[in-house]
Amino acid sequence: MTSTLHRPAAFRPRHLTRSARRTPPRVERSDAFRHIGPNWFAAVMGTGIVATAAVTLPWQPHGLRGAATAVWASAAVLLVVVAGAFAVHWLRHPEAARAHGRHPIMAHFYGAPPMALLTVGAGTLLLGSDVIGMRAALAVDWALWSAGTVLGLSTALAIPYRMITGQPSSPEAAFGGWLMPVVPPMVSAATGTLLVPHLPAGQPRLTMMFACLAMFGLSLMAALITITLIWSRLLHHGPPARESVATVWIVLGPLGQSVTAAAMIADAGPAALPEPYTRGLLVFSVVFGVAVWGFAMLWLGLALAVTLRHRKVMPFNLTWWGFTFPVGTCVTGSSALYAHTGAELFAVAAVGLYALLVGAWVLVAGRTLAGVRTGLLLRPPAPVPA
């Protein structure tokens, strides 16, 4: 494979020739949308999680909710902008758009659009209701959750199917992006519980609860299998190439999101399920959540160590948004464990991880804006020899 994501990491010379340092040509306006791929929706995910994670924190200082609402509004606007740019990309450059779906790397990032829809939808219900009212917020969330869930289930089936029936992948090809298509159903499971109390009692609530449980299991099993492949790849072939080091952080996404989803399903249980199922879900959310949280903290340490080792040679690209959403899911997971156990360990972890999340978001958002302004992120990726 020729992609940098499929090659072991190698430190390249830092001293560039004069021609390599020369400023690249400006992107023509007609080509500005040619390379807008599904990975751009990661910016919406990373911005939206900053807002929704703030709501869950055990420490709620004055002004936090207002700041979170402003960030949610930014994520909503960003979703409209990125979706519009993506639509123009398909209209003007359909051949490039179809190529993304066939690409062994970019195809996995089709999991980003549904998660962007789900994240903004949840933020609309949790924060946007203060601005547009509960009725409008509920309508928006239903629309975004429904669209995100359908798209997410489609990617969870279609992308693995293409991997199974397409060109076989080598063992060193596994990378964090493989998780992107299978995580959206887990996000649907977590955010779907917010809609349970707004459904009529009886079969509608029961159906939503079991749908969330089924999507939780679907995504969890697929994610655990994929994480095992990624762990094996790292142990046998070393870190990914410097251009894709940030993808190591994506593994935190299904880990933190599964802890969050288990807790939110338990919270929604009493509205739809009888005993002993509600108590069983609560016990499961704590036992499962603490165990997975522990592994997530181990992976966080590994990801941080690998990133610090490569920090001086990592070029900026959109994979850096992997520093945001996955960490955000660990914030919500830690907050949920604190709410269910009262253990201050999880409260401290939630606040500390949120500080890390905000710092990463400020850094990556600033670099992204600069990359769009200069046109760096609108150019095709440089070809890399096999």
Side-chain angles (χ1 to χ4, degrees), residues 99-110:
H100 286 163
R102 297 188 296 266
H103 195 276
I105 301 300
M106 186 64 75
H108 297 284
F109 289 93
Y110 268 99

Side-chain angles (χ1 to χ4, degrees), residues 1 22 28 94 110 114 149 207 216 257 269 279 301-302 309 383:
M1 299 244 179
R22 187 177 300 135
E28 296 295 333
Y110 268 99
T149 298
T207 300
F216 171 86
Q257 193 65 46
R279 183 166 181 80
L302 292 172
R309 182 182 181 187

Side-chain angles (χ1 to χ4, degrees), residues 42 123 290:
V290 173

Side-chain angles (χ1 to χ4, degrees), residues 72 117 120-121 124-125 132 134-146:
W72 159 78
L117 294 172
V120 173
T124 303
L125 194 60
I132 63 176
M134 179 56 72
R135 179 176 296 182
L138 189 59
V140 171
D141 190 23
W142 266 115
L144 294 180
W145 184 86
S146 301

